[in-house]
Amino acid sequence: MLWALRDGPRRPVELRKQIGGISSKVLTETLRRLQFNGLVDRQTDPDAPSRVGYQLTPLGRTLLAPIDAVGAWAFEYGDEVVTAREAACTPDPRSPRPTCWTGQRRE
C-alpha cells in the first residue's frame, strides 16, 4: 500500500487497480490502520466530500527506502528462495511424512 502511494495522492479505486487482488473492505481497513499509525493522510475534496484520497505522510515516506531495499533483495535472491523452498518440499523417501514446511506446528 505504501509503495502504491509513493508517487502522490490516490483515490481508493485507483489503489485497488494498482495493487490488484484486494477487496474494498481490506483496502479500507488497511488505509485506516495506516492513517491511525501516522503513515497516511486522508484528504477529502472540498467540492465533493464523498470523494477521498490518500497520500503518504512524511513519516510514511521514510519507509520507501527500506521497502525498495527489500524489493531489490527479493529481485536478486528470489530464485534462491524458490530453489530452497522446492528442495524443502521434496519428499524424503526415508520419512513417512513430507518434509515441506506448511506453517503448521511439527511434533
Side-chain angles (χ1 to χ4, degrees):
M1 187 74 59
L2 298 174
W3 192 250
L5 290 167
R6 73 188 179 279
D7 293 326
R10 296 278 185 269
R11 295 186 59 224
V13 73
E14 295 170 322
L15 288 168
R16 280 192 70 205
K17 285 180 188 175
Q18 188 173 359
I19 294 168
I22 187 170
S23 70
S24 293
K25 179 184 179 209
V26 171
L27 177 68
T28 299
E29 290 171 352
T30 302
L31 288 167
R32 285 181 182 160
R33 194 169 40 252
L34 291 170
Q35 184 181 8
F36 176 78
N37 288 302
L39 302 174
V40 168
D41 276 333
R42 182 178 188 265
Q43 306 166 325
T44 56
D45 186 335
D47 297 328
S50 64
R51 188 177 192 158
V52 299
Y54 294 87
Q55 70 178 10
L56 292 175
T57 62
L59 180 62
R61 289 205 158 280
T62 66
L63 287 169
L64 293 178
I67 291 169
D68 190 37
V70 170
W73 181 90
F75 183 78
E76 186 170 345
Y77 296 105
D79 290 342
E80 291 178 48
V81 172
V82 170
T83 300
R85 184 180 301 155
E86 288 170 351
C89 290
T90 302
D92 182 348
R94 299 169 289 158
S95 174
R97 292 183 175 174
T99 58
C100 186
W101 183 78
T102 62
Q104 298 174 356
R105 184 176 171 198
R106 292 188 176 182
E107 297 177 24

